[in-house]
Amino acid sequence: MRIARFVADSDPMYGVVEGESGSEVITVIKGDPFFHGVERTSIKFNLADVRLVAPIIPRSKVIGIGRNFADHASELGNEVPESLLMFLKPNTSVIGPGEPIVLPEFSEEVSYEAELCVVIGRICKDVPEDRVHEVIFGYTCGNDLTARDIQDKDQQWARAKGFDTAAPLGPWIETDLDPEDLSIKGWLNGELRQDGSTNQMVRSIPELVSLVSRAFTLLPGDVIMTGTPAGVDLLSDGDRYEVEIEGIGRLSNPVVRR
């Protein structure tokens, strides 16, 4: 099931996206699916007639996972860490499909990172790996933008990965997905730059969620960005980066400098 958040007239609503590409229909659901379940109404829109926004604005946090693909760690001159490398992005860094990535004035070296993102569906702590499936609401595409020069300068990642617009998410949340072997692709201005698979992850989705839940209590709507394959490079004003994950869809964002 594809759960989207969208704007038709004024306030954002949630809906279920159904149908084939090019002729999808979105059916409005009552309330917030994270707390009230998925109850369809009789109100429908053509997907082409609405504006998709970020499928979730996390109520508490976005958790990033660093160096979870060995080839990406290697391309930046790093080793795969022995223990899980985690960082946080504020919810103010989240934007949706089509919204511009704004390059921050304090950085000249912002890079893209195509990632599978886990969306948490219930409050949880210390989740065993074999029960992780019980706490996952679904999956979406993400772009973990990083100001590389600031990451090196600050020697910690809050500013480098937490600036406004640094966490595009979308286009929707897919609730029925096996994340074990999904292709992850990224295009810069139509040129394929990242081409990997979730089967290349150092730590699997169940292991990641379990480990993260030992560090933090997870709340409904929290997002875990699970790492990126090799092919990372820098963005410039006027670029467009697109993330496509098998079984979910494509997230596309233009890049601007203001």
Side-chain angles (χ1 to χ4, degrees), residues 125-164:
K125 183 78 170 81
D126 299 328
V127 184
E129 286 188 36
D130 61 358
R131 298 191 63 184
V132 161
H133 66 280
E134 298 176 19
V135 307
I136 293 177
F137 183 85
Y139 302 87
T140 192
C141 304
N143 190 347
D144 174 20
L145 294 157
T146 307
R148 296 295 177 193
D149 48 354
I150 300 305
Q151 188 178 36
D152 291 339
K153 178 181 179 181
D154 289 357
Q155 292 297 299
Q156 54 87 23
W157 298 3
R159 187 164 62 130
K161 286 181 172 285
F163 61 87
D164 290 354

Short mmCIF file of all heavy atoms in Angstrom, two decimals, residues 125-164:
data_model
loop_
_atom_site.label_atom_id
_atom_site.label_comp_id
_atom_site.label_asym_id
_atom_site.label_seq_id
_atom_site.Cartn_x
_atom_site.Cartn_y
_atom_site.Cartn_z
N LYS A 125 11.21 0.36 22.03
CA LYS A 125 12.54 0.45 22.64
C LYS A 125 13.10 -0.95 22.76
O LYS A 125 12.37 -1.89 23.08
CB LYS A 125 12.44 1.12 24.02
CG LYS A 125 13.80 1.33 24.71
CD LYS A 125 14.53 2.52 24.13
CE LYS A 125 15.75 2.89 24.98
NZ LYS A 125 16.92 2.04 24.68
N ASP A 126 14.40 -1.09 22.48
CA ASP A 126 15.10 -2.38 22.64
C ASP A 126 14.39 -3.50 21.88
O ASP A 126 14.06 -4.55 22.44
CB ASP A 126 15.24 -2.75 24.12
CG ASP A 126 16.04 -1.74 24.90
OD1 ASP A 126 16.96 -1.12 24.32
OD2 ASP A 126 15.75 -1.54 26.10
N VAL A 127 14.17 -3.28 20.60
CA VAL A 127 13.42 -4.23 19.77
C VAL A 127 14.33 -5.37 19.33
O VAL A 127 15.38 -5.13 18.71
CB VAL A 127 12.83 -3.54 18.53
CG1 VAL A 127 11.97 -4.51 17.73
CG2 VAL A 127 12.02 -2.30 18.93
N PRO A 128 13.99 -6.63 19.61
CA PRO A 128 14.78 -7.75 19.08
C PRO A 128 14.69 -7.80 17.56
O PRO A 128 13.68 -7.39 16.97
CB PRO A 128 14.11 -8.99 19.70
CG PRO A 128 13.24 -8.47 20.80
CD PRO A 128 12.85 -7.08 20.42
N GLU A 129 15.74 -8.28 16.91
CA GLU A 129 15.75 -8.32 15.45
C GLU A 129 14.56 -9.08 14.87
O GLU A 129 14.00 -8.70 13.84
CB GLU A 129 17.06 -8.94 14.95
CG GLU A 129 18.26 -8.02 15.08
CD GLU A 129 19.49 -8.58 14.41
OE1 GLU A 129 19.35 -9.22 13.34
OE2 GLU A 129 20.60 -8.39 14.94
N ASP A 130 14.16 -10.16 15.52
CA ASP A 130 13.08 -10.97 14.97
C ASP A 130 11.70 -10.35 15.17
O ASP A 130 10.69 -10.88 14.70
CB ASP A 130 13.10 -12.39 15.55
CG ASP A 130 12.91 -12.44 17.06
OD1 ASP A 130 12.81 -11.35 17.69
OD2 ASP A 130 12.86 -13.55 17.62
N ARG A 131 11.64 -9.16 15.83
CA ARG A 131 10.36 -8.47 15.99
C ARG A 131 10.37 -7.09 15.34
O ARG A 131 9.40 -6.33 15.50
CB ARG A 131 10.02 -8.36 17.48
CG ARG A 131 9.84 -9.70 18.18
CD ARG A 131 9.24 -9.55 19.55
NE ARG A 131 7.90 -8.98 19.50
CZ ARG A 131 7.18 -8.67 20.58
NH1 ARG A 131 7.68 -8.86 21.79
NH2 ARG A 131 5.97 -8.15 20.46
N VAL A 132 11.43 -6.78 14.63
CA VAL A 132 11.53 -5.47 14.00
C VAL A 132 10.37 -5.22 13.03
O VAL A 132 9.85 -4.09 12.92
CB VAL A 132 12.90 -5.31 13.29
CG1 VAL A 132 12.86 -4.20 12.25
CG2 VAL A 132 13.99 -5.04 14.32
N HIS A 133 9.94 -6.26 12.33
CA HIS A 133 8.84 -6.08 11.36
C HIS A 133 7.57 -5.56 12.04
O HIS A 133 6.74 -4.92 11.37
CB HIS A 133 8.55 -7.40 10.65
CG HIS A 133 8.01 -8.47 11.55
ND1 HIS A 133 8.83 -9.24 12.37
CD2 HIS A 133 6.74 -8.91 11.79
CE1 HIS A 133 8.09 -10.10 13.06
NE2 HIS A 133 6.83 -9.92 12.73
N GLU A 134 7.42 -5.77 13.34
CA GLU A 134 6.22 -5.34 14.04
C GLU A 134 6.19 -3.82 14.26
O GLU A 134 5.12 -3.26 14.51
CB GLU A 134 6.13 -6.03 15.41
CG GLU A 134 6.02 -7.54 15.33
CD GLU A 134 6.04 -8.18 16.71
OE1 GLU A 134 5.77 -7.47 17.72
OE2 GLU A 134 6.31 -9.39 16.80
N VAL A 135 7.35 -3.16 14.18
CA VAL A 135 7.40 -1.72 14.49
C VAL A 135 7.59 -0.85 13.25
O VAL A 135 7.62 0.37 13.35
CB VAL A 135 8.51 -1.42 15.52
CG1 VAL A 135 8.34 -2.30 16.75
CG2 VAL A 135 9.90 -1.56 14.94
N ILE A 136 7.72 -1.48 12.08
CA ILE A 136 7.92 -0.71 10.85
C ILE A 136 6.58 -0.41 10.19
O ILE A 136 5.79 -1.32 9.92
CB ILE A 136 8.84 -1.47 9.88
CG1 ILE A 136 10.26 -1.57 10.46
CG2 ILE A 136 8.88 -0.77 8.51
CD1 ILE A 136 11.21 -2.37 9.61
N PHE A 137 6.33 0.87 9.93
CA PHE A 137 5.13 1.27 9.19
C PHE A 137 5.33 1.08 7.70
O PHE A 137 4.43 0.65 6.99
CB PHE A 137 4.82 2.75 9.49
CG PHE A 137 3.57 3.26 8.84
CD1 PHE A 137 2.33 3.07 9.44
CD2 PHE A 137 3.62 3.94 7.63
CE1 PHE A 137 1.17 3.54 8.84
CE2 PHE A 137 2.47 4.41 7.02
CZ PHE A 137 1.23 4.21 7.63
N GLY A 138 6.52 1.42 7.20
CA GLY A 138 6.81 1.27 5.79
C GLY A 138 8.16 1.86 5.43
O GLY A 138 9.00 2.12 6.29
N TYR A 139 8.34 2.09 4.12
CA TYR A 139 9.62 2.54 3.60
C TYR A 139 9.41 3.66 2.59
O TYR A 139 8.40 3.71 1.88
CB TYR A 139 10.34 1.37 2.90
CG TYR A 139 10.59 0.18 3.80
CD1 TYR A 139 9.61 -0.81 3.94
CD2 TYR A 139 11.78 0.05 4.50
CE1 TYR A 139 9.83 -1.90 4.77
CE2 TYR A 139 12.00 -1.04 5.33
CZ TYR A 139 11.03 -2.02 5.46
OH TYR A 139 11.24 -3.09 6.29
N THR A 140 10.39 4.55 2.51
CA THR A 140 10.34 5.62 1.51
C THR A 140 11.75 5.88 0.99
O THR A 140 12.73 5.33 1.51
CB THR A 140 9.69 6.89 2.09
OG1 THR A 140 9.40 7.80 1.03
CG2 THR A 140 10.60 7.57 3.12
N CYS A 141 11.85 6.72 -0.04
CA CYS A 141 13.14 7.13 -0.58
C CYS A 141 13.64 8.36 0.17
O CYS A 141 12.84 9.19 0.60
CB CYS A 141 13.02 7.49 -2.07
SG CYS A 141 12.32 6.22 -3.13
N GLY A 142 14.95 8.47 0.30
CA GLY A 142 15.52 9.63 0.95
C GLY A 142 16.83 10.05 0.31
O GLY A 142 17.47 9.28 -0.43
N ASN A 143 17.21 11.30 0.57
CA ASN A 143 18.48 11.84 0.09
C ASN A 143 19.16 12.48 1.30
O ASN A 143 18.70 13.51 1.81
CB ASN A 143 18.23 12.87 -1.02
CG ASN A 143 19.49 13.29 -1.73
OD1 ASN A 143 20.60 13.03 -1.27
ND2 ASN A 143 19.34 13.96 -2.86
N ASP A 144 20.22 11.85 1.78
CA ASP A 144 20.94 12.32 2.96
C ASP A 144 22.01 13.31 2.53
O ASP A 144 23.17 12.96 2.33
CB ASP A 144 21.55 11.12 3.70
CG ASP A 144 22.44 11.54 4.87
OD1 ASP A 144 22.28 12.68 5.35
OD2 ASP A 144 23.28 10.72 5.28
N LEU A 145 21.61 14.57 2.37
CA LEU A 145 22.55 15.59 1.91
C LEU A 145 23.57 15.92 2.99
O LEU A 145 23.24 15.97 4.18
CB LEU A 145 21.78 16.85 1.51
CG LEU A 145 20.88 16.61 0.29
CD1 LEU A 145 19.75 17.60 0.25
CD2 LEU A 145 21.68 16.65 -0.99
N THR A 146 24.82 16.15 2.55
CA THR A 146 25.91 16.37 3.49
C THR A 146 26.80 17.50 3.01
O THR A 146 27.27 17.47 1.86
CB THR A 146 26.76 15.09 3.64
OG1 THR A 146 25.92 13.98 3.96
CG2 THR A 146 27.81 15.26 4.73
N ALA A 147 27.05 18.47 3.87
CA ALA A 147 28.03 19.52 3.58
C ALA A 147 29.41 18.99 3.96
O ALA A 147 29.81 19.02 5.12
CB ALA A 147 27.69 20.78 4.36
N ARG A 148 30.15 18.46 2.98
CA ARG A 148 31.40 17.75 3.25
C ARG A 148 32.46 18.66 3.89
O ARG A 148 33.19 18.24 4.79
CB ARG A 148 31.95 17.15 1.96
CG ARG A 148 31.07 16.09 1.33
CD ARG A 148 30.95 14.87 2.20
NE ARG A 148 30.03 13.89 1.61
CZ ARG A 148 29.55 12.84 2.24
NH1 ARG A 148 29.90 12.62 3.49
NH2 ARG A 148 28.71 12.02 1.65
N ASP A 149 32.57 19.89 3.39
CA ASP A 149 33.58 20.78 3.95
C ASP A 149 33.29 21.11 5.41
O ASP A 149 34.19 21.20 6.25
CB ASP A 149 33.71 22.06 3.12
CG ASP A 149 32.38 22.71 2.78
OD1 ASP A 149 31.31 22.13 3.09
OD2 ASP A 149 32.39 23.82 2.20
N ILE A 150 32.02 21.25 5.74
CA ILE A 150 31.63 21.54 7.13
C ILE A 150 31.78 20.30 8.00
O ILE A 150 32.18 20.39 9.17
CB ILE A 150 30.19 22.08 7.18
CG1 ILE A 150 30.08 23.35 6.35
CG2 ILE A 150 29.75 22.33 8.61
CD1 ILE A 150 31.06 24.45 6.74
N GLN A 151 31.51 19.14 7.44
CA GLN A 151 31.71 17.89 8.17
C GLN A 151 33.17 17.76 8.60
O GLN A 151 33.47 17.38 9.73
CB GLN A 151 31.31 16.71 7.28
CG GLN A 151 31.28 15.37 7.96
CD GLN A 151 30.82 14.27 7.00
OE1 GLN A 151 31.13 14.29 5.80
NE2 GLN A 151 30.07 13.32 7.53
N ASP A 152 34.09 18.10 7.69
CA ASP A 152 35.52 18.05 8.02
C ASP A 152 35.91 19.15 9.01
O ASP A 152 36.67 18.91 9.95
CB ASP A 152 36.36 18.20 6.74
CG ASP A 152 36.23 16.99 5.82
OD1 ASP A 152 35.84 15.92 6.31
OD2 ASP A 152 36.51 17.13 4.62
N LYS A 153 35.36 20.33 8.80
CA LYS A 153 35.72 21.48 9.63
C LYS A 153 35.22 21.33 11.06
O LYS A 153 35.93 21.58 12.03
CB LYS A 153 35.18 22.76 9.01
CG LYS A 153 35.45 24.02 9.81
CD LYS A 153 34.84 25.23 9.10
CE LYS A 153 35.07 26.51 9.89
NZ LYS A 153 34.47 27.69 9.23
N ASP A 154 33.95 20.95 11.21
CA ASP A 154 33.33 20.91 12.54
C ASP A 154 33.74 19.69 13.34
O ASP A 154 33.62 19.68 14.57
CB ASP A 154 31.80 20.92 12.41
CG ASP A 154 31.25 22.25 11.94
OD1 ASP A 154 32.04 23.20 11.78
OD2 ASP A 154 30.01 22.35 11.75
N GLN A 155 34.14 18.61 12.65
CA GLN A 155 34.50 17.36 13.32
C GLN A 155 33.31 16.74 14.07
O GLN A 155 33.49 15.97 15.00
CB GLN A 155 35.68 17.57 14.27
CG GLN A 155 36.98 17.88 13.55
CD GLN A 155 37.45 16.75 12.65
OE1 GLN A 155 37.71 15.64 13.10
NE2 GLN A 155 37.55 17.03 11.36
N GLN A 156 32.13 17.12 13.70
CA GLN A 156 30.89 16.44 14.10
C GLN A 156 29.84 16.84 13.05
O GLN A 156 30.08 17.72 12.24
CB GLN A 156 30.48 16.78 15.52
CG GLN A 156 30.35 18.24 15.85
CD GLN A 156 28.98 18.79 15.53
OE1 GLN A 156 28.01 18.06 15.48
NE2 GLN A 156 28.92 20.10 15.31
N TRP A 157 28.71 16.18 13.02
CA TRP A 157 27.90 16.20 11.82
C TRP A 157 26.60 16.99 11.92
O TRP A 157 25.80 16.98 10.99
CB TRP A 157 27.58 14.76 11.39
CG TRP A 157 28.78 13.95 11.05
CD1 TRP A 157 30.10 14.34 11.13
CD2 TRP A 157 28.81 12.62 10.55
NE1 TRP A 157 30.94 13.34 10.73
CE2 TRP A 157 30.17 12.26 10.36
CE3 TRP A 157 27.82 11.69 10.25
CZ2 TRP A 157 30.57 11.02 9.88
CZ3 TRP A 157 28.20 10.44 9.77
CH2 TRP A 157 29.56 10.11 9.59
N ALA A 158 26.35 17.67 13.03
CA ALA A 158 25.05 18.32 13.21
C ALA A 158 24.76 19.34 12.12
O ALA A 158 23.71 19.32 11.48
CB ALA A 158 24.97 18.96 14.59
N ARG A 159 25.69 20.28 11.90
CA ARG A 159 25.48 21.31 10.90
C ARG A 159 25.61 20.76 9.48
O ARG A 159 24.85 21.13 8.58
CB ARG A 159 26.49 22.45 11.13
CG ARG A 159 26.26 23.67 10.27
CD ARG A 159 27.01 24.90 10.78
NE ARG A 159 28.45 24.75 10.80
CZ ARG A 159 29.31 25.63 10.28
NH1 ARG A 159 28.84 26.73 9.70
NH2 ARG A 159 30.61 25.44 10.38
N ALA A 160 26.55 19.83 9.29
CA ALA A 160 26.82 19.30 7.96
C ALA A 160 25.65 18.49 7.40
O ALA A 160 25.42 18.47 6.19
CB ALA A 160 28.07 18.42 7.99
N LYS A 161 24.89 17.83 8.27
CA LYS A 161 23.80 16.98 7.81
C LYS A 161 22.42 17.47 8.27
O LYS A 161 21.42 16.86 7.90
CB LYS A 161 24.02 15.54 8.30
CG LYS A 161 25.12 14.81 7.53
CD LYS A 161 25.29 13.39 8.02
CE LYS A 161 26.23 12.56 7.16
NZ LYS A 161 25.65 12.14 5.88
N GLY A 162 22.39 18.56 9.04
CA GLY A 162 21.12 18.99 9.61
C GLY A 162 20.58 20.29 9.08
O GLY A 162 19.54 20.76 9.55
N PHE A 163 21.22 20.88 8.07
CA PHE A 163 20.75 22.16 7.56
C PHE A 163 19.37 22.02 6.92
O PHE A 163 18.95 20.92 6.52
CB PHE A 163 21.77 22.77 6.60
CG PHE A 163 22.07 21.95 5.36
CD1 PHE A 163 21.29 22.07 4.22
CD2 PHE A 163 23.14 21.07 5.34
CE1 PHE A 163 21.56 21.33 3.08
CE2 PHE A 163 23.44 20.32 4.20
CZ PHE A 163 22.63 20.45 3.07
N ASP A 164 18.66 23.12 6.82
CA ASP A 164 17.33 23.11 6.20
C ASP A 164 17.42 22.52 4.79
O ASP A 164 18.32 22.85 4.02
CB ASP A 164 16.76 24.53 6.12
CG ASP A 164 16.38 25.10 7.47
OD1 ASP A 164 16.45 24.36 8.47
OD2 ASP A 164 16.03 26.30 7.52
#
